[in-house]
Amino acid sequence: MTSPPPKLDAAELVEGFRGYMRDHNLPLTHQREAIASALFHSEEHLSVEDIEAILRDENVHVGKATVYRTLDLLVRAGLVDEHDFGEGFKRFEPRSARSHHEHLICLACGKVVEFTSERIERMKALIADEHGFRHHHHRLDIYGVCSECQGRAAVTLERSPDRPGGGSR
Amino acid sequence: MTSPPPKLDAAELVEGFRGYMRDHNLPLTHQREAIASALFHSEEHLSVEDIEAILRDENVHVGKATVYRTLDLLVRAGLVDEHDFGEGFKRFEPRSARSHHEHLICLACGKVVEFTSERIERMKALIADEHGFRHHHHRLDIYGVCSECQGRAAVTLERSPDRPGGGSR
DNA sequence: GGGTGGCTTGAAACTCGTTCTCAACCCCAG
DNA sequence: CTGGGGTTGAGAACGAGTTTCAAGCCACCC
Ligand SMILES: [Mn+2]
Ligand SMILES: [Mn+2]
Ligand SMILES: [Zn+2]
Ligand SMILES: [Zn+2]
């Protein structure tokens, strides 16, 4: 495991949150701070369940409705990005100072690798233009098998070819 | 409304389905035929609800469990692609003979425009390689506002900036 | 410090797409 | 025609996410 590049300035994001709340006349409660802080200090793409687990470990009790509501707030504030990697639930990550990035997802172990591509960035804008669309946002996820998982078990991700009903959720 | 380019050979897809079922020793029931046929003859990205509506119009009654099971089968057979445009449910489209394509989705009216990009195709493979991933599949969806929707109401897609809880499902 | 209005919170009910259950039923090889 | 194994459908179950609403907290005022 190589150490991932630091995700960046949790402090800055916390400051941004405070500012947003102040500007919008919304109270900054303990719960909101705890949720935002948990997410901002993470290097990963957290699910709501992940966040609840972190708070539980810190002996902070927050209802799940509040977690959802606060995540909504953070996304609206532009401080957090929401992702759907096709797992049946959403994941969230703090929006770092670095530019927009895309994701490579390992189908075997779930590892997520981030990358950026200036060329893709340009191309997506070009294509939207070509079709008369005003570009708003986009999503590029590449699914594959990471090098570590290619050794064995490369089969476990293939669902058996017949017999419907092999639920995935 | 300009007429969309024909989606292609429903007949071929039906044949493919028959072949798959035969090869896998699975009975081809009336229900399965009706569902596959409905999808194969469509030019759109159908939801399960859409499919049920089509069948209802044809006075064919099929339980929703069977619709889901058959779609599963069709996806496994490689004859249908499954999409999630972030609406809270899946959409399905027959896999035409034409190559893999990407989607432009209008946030205001829901219109879906398809496009392909040889360059993006090459790039995604390159990027997977670069990171040691064996590429499996990918998804590129560009969200924006189509030319027709840009006239007015360009605001209705923007959720109000405060007050959480403005459900979207 | 105490008061107050308005926003927030949490438990629980609810929503809704999707999956599971299981008894009745149909497909098709023999 | 028959039989046996897969299929079907109604309804129950599931699970992520949302709503409800009474009780509680925050921020600002004095
Ligand atoms: Mn990321
Ligand atoms: Mn398509
Ligand atoms: Zn892996
Ligand atoms: Zn539109």
Side-chain angles (χ1 to χ4, degrees):
Chain A
M1 297 246 175
T2 64
S3 65
K7 191 76 162 227
L8 235 283
D9 43 35
E12 229 172 89
L13 289 166
V14 169
E15 220 22 70
F17 189 36
R18 276 197 232 284
Y20 179 85
M21 298 306 268
R22 211 177 298 123
D23 295 350
H24 291 257
N25 271 81
L26 298 170
L28 190 53
T29 62
H30 289 146
Q31 291 92 328
R32 285 170 171 174
E33 271 195 305
I35 294 161
S37 175
L39 186 48
F40 289 162
H41 285 88
S42 160
E43 306 274 303
E44 308 183 42
H45 301 83
L46 300 181
S47 64
V48 166
E49 205 184 327
D50 292 337
I51 292 171
E52 287 180 314
I54 292 172
L55 297 176
R56 208 177 307 121
D57 286 355
E58 297 175 349
N59 283 332
V60 179
H61 177 262
V62 180
K64 69 175 170 162
T66 299
V67 176
Y68 280 106
R69 287 187 285 230
T70 303
L71 286 170
D72 231 66
L73 218 41
L74 289 165
V75 169
R76 277 202 207 341
L79 299 166
V80 164
D81 281 327
E82 187 183 300
H83 298 292
D84 179 356
F85 293 145
E87 301 166 297
F89 52 83
K90 305 255 178 73
R91 287 187 178 276
F92 301 83
E93 75 174 320
R95 183 178 287 186
S96 62
R98 82 169 108 160
S99 66
H100 174 79
H101 61 263
E102 320 295 342
H103 297 99
L104 262 163
I105 300 116
C106 177
L107 290 165
C109 69
K111 180 168 61 188
V112 176
V113 174
E114 306 183 332
F115 69 91
T116 60
S117 167
E118 190 43 57
R119 253 189 294 178
I120 283 180
E121 224 55 37
R122 256 181 277 123
M123 212 131 52
K124 92 193 174 203
L126 201 69
I127 286 166
D129 268 14
E130 244 168 54
H131 293 269
F133 272 60
R134 178 144 38 100
H135 175 275
H136 190 267
H137 68 282
H138 71 129
R139 163 172 59 179
L140 171 56
D141 299 323
I142 301 180
Y143 294 85
V145 182
C146 78
S147 49
E148 277 149 46
C149 289
Q150 281 176 39
R152 168 136 355 135
V155 241
T156 56
L157 64 119
E158 240 63 84
R159 300 193 288 181
S160 101
D162 31 38
R163 309 243 37 163
S168 65
R169 250 208 203 177
Chain B
M1 295 237 177
T2 64
S3 65
K7 192 72 162 230
L8 235 282
D9 41 35
E12 230 173 88
L13 290 165
V14 170
E15 221 22 71
F17 189 36
R18 276 198 232 285
Y20 179 86
M21 298 307 267
R22 212 178 295 123
D23 294 351
H24 291 258
N25 272 82
L26 298 169
L28 190 51
T29 63
H30 289 146
Q31 290 93 330
R32 285 172 172 174
E33 272 195 304
I35 294 161
S37 174
L39 224 199
F40 289 162
H41 286 87
S42 160
E43 308 274 305
E44 307 184 43
H45 302 82
L46 301 181
S47 65
V48 166
E49 205 183 328
D50 292 337
I51 293 171
E52 287 179 313
I54 292 173
L55 297 176
R56 209 178 305 119
D57 286 353
E58 297 175 349
N59 282 333
V60 178
H61 177 261
V62 179
K64 68 180 164 160
T66 299
V67 176
Y68 279 106
R69 287 187 286 231
T70 302
L71 286 170
D72 230 66
L73 219 42
L74 289 164
V75 170
R76 276 196 200 352
L79 299 166
V80 164
D81 281 327
E82 187 183 301
H83 297 292
D84 179 356
F85 293 144
E87 301 166 295
F89 51 85
K90 306 251 177 78
R91 288 188 177 274
F92 301 83
E93 75 174 320
R95 182 176 288 185
S96 62
R98 81 169 107 157
S99 66
H100 174 79
H101 60 264
E102 319 296 343
H103 297 101
L104 262 164
I105 300 116
C106 176
L107 290 164
C109 71
K111 180 167 60 188
V112 176
V113 173
E114 306 183 333
F115 70 92
T116 60
S117 167
E118 189 45 54
R119 254 191 292 178
I120 282 180
E121 222 56 36
R122 256 180 275 123
M123 212 130 54
K124 98 200 167 198
L126 201 70
I127 286 165
D129 268 16
E130 243 169 55
H131 293 269
F133 271 61
R134 179 143 38 99
H135 175 274
H136 190 267
H137 68 280
H138 70 128
R139 164 173 56 181
L140 170 57
D141 300 322
I142 301 180
Y143 294 86
V145 181
C146 78
S147 48
E148 278 149 46
C149 289
Q150 281 177 39
R152 168 137 357 138
V155 242
T156 56
L157 64 119
E158 239 64 84
R159 302 193 287 182
S160 99
D162 32 39
R163 309 243 38 158
S168 64
R169 246 209 206 176

